[in-house]
Amino acid sequence: MLFHVRMDVNLPLDMPADVASEIKAREKAYSQDLQRSGKWRHIWRLAGEYANISIFDVESNAELHDILTALPLFPYMNMSVTPLCRHPSSVRDGDA
């Protein structure tokens, strides 16, 4: 199952820099492991925003929920999730 997820990060302005850096390092390691596994298929930064658009390829809604809620930055994010399916006009067979 493919999902489009927009993640907007809102760290508290009074969060100490060392705490923010540690959370971001854990986030990066976790997201890169998911990318290597194929679960987190794509990630794009939104220019000028502390936000990203990502594509996840998971087995179920529950698996996506578990992945997203395990993100170290999850407590500081607003997310919108959209399920995706292959468009009949697509020329790419691998986009199922």
Side-chain angles (χ1 to χ4, degrees):
M1 299 177 76
L2 295 176
F3 293 90
H4 167 279
V5 180
R6 178 181 171 133
M7 301 178 204
D8 293 277
V9 181
N10 301 296
L11 291 177
L13 296 176
D14 61 348
M15 179 180 280
D18 60 326
V19 172
S21 294
E22 188 273 331
I23 294 170
K24 291 175 192 177
R26 287 189 293 120
E27 179 88 5
K28 182 176 183 176
Y30 178 63
S31 71
Q32 288 180 342
D33 285 345
L34 288 165
Q35 289 172 66
R36 286 184 196 97
S37 77
K39 299 276 182 196
W40 197 323
R41 192 184 279 190
H42 299 284
I43 183 170
W44 292 278
R45 176 177 289 173
L46 299 178
E49 299 181 45
Y50 194 178
N52 74 72
I53 297 291
S54 294
I55 304 296
F56 287 86
D57 189 357
V58 294
E59 294 297 318
S60 66
N61 296 342
E63 182 182 18
L64 179 66
H65 177 80
D66 291 344
I67 287 171
L68 296 178
T69 58
L71 289 166
L73 285 170
F74 178 77
Y76 311 103
M77 288 184 179
N78 292 320
M79 294 187 198
S80 63
V81 177
T82 305
L84 302 172
C85 60
R86 188 174 188 280
H87 194 283
S89 297
S90 176
V91 297
R92 299 207 179 1
D93 291 332
D95 287 345

